[in-house]
Amino acid sequence: MQEINGKYFDWDNKKNLANIEKHGVSFKMAATSFFDPEAVTIDDDTHSQQEDRFILIGVNKYDKLLTVCHCYRDNDNVIRIISARKPNQLEREIYGGEM
């Protein structure tokens, strides 16, 4: 578990390495997107069969717009990051334009 600016994040280390290889984004880098005051969070109904999942679209501390799939654990006190990548066109539009 990682504490970043008072929020707690968790992720699978193997998935983090695979995500870096596939998308070039570490989960630690993605976690900083949760501090974007303009971030948009939407339900991920497609992947919510076993747990409620969400998609956050936000800018990280390196000014990169990211799409972060996540869920909440421990009574919503821990954000578990599942995947992170560059947003597609629709996600960029949802966030509010081109980045």
Side-chain angles (χ1 to χ4, degrees):
M1 188 169 352
Q2 296 268 329
E3 187 268 330
I4 301 172
N5 295 335
K7 288 189 181 191
Y8 293 93
F9 297 89
D10 190 26
W11 54 75
D12 179 281
N13 287 324
K14 287 182 183 177
K15 286 189 82 173
N16 181 42
L17 293 174
N19 200 82
I20 293 168
E21 188 170 314
K22 184 175 182 180
H23 299 292
V25 179
S26 74
F27 290 167
K28 187 171 185 177
M29 179 188 300
T32 65
S33 299
F34 286 82
F35 299 98
D36 175 3
E38 303 296 321
V40 177
T41 302
I42 55 177
D43 291 338
D44 185 3
D45 294 330
T46 304
H47 299 101
S48 291
Q49 292 80 24
Q50 295 178 342
E51 63 189 350
D52 291 333
R53 290 189 179 186
F54 304 91
I55 297 170
L56 177 125
I57 306 165
V59 176
N60 72 3
K61 74 176 189 176
Y62 303 103
D63 289 327
K64 301 290 183 189
L65 186 62
L66 296 175
T67 297
V68 185
C69 179
H70 64 284
C71 63
Y72 294 94
R73 298 276 171 88
D74 297 327
N75 295 318
D76 296 344
N77 292 318
V78 176
I79 300 167
R80 181 161 181 86
I81 297 178
I82 299 163
S83 67
R85 59 177 170 73
K86 293 178 184 175
N88 61 34
Q89 181 64 36
L90 176 60
E91 293 162 341
R92 286 192 298 271
E93 290 172 10
I94 290 169
Y95 183 79
E98 292 295 321
M99 291 215 53

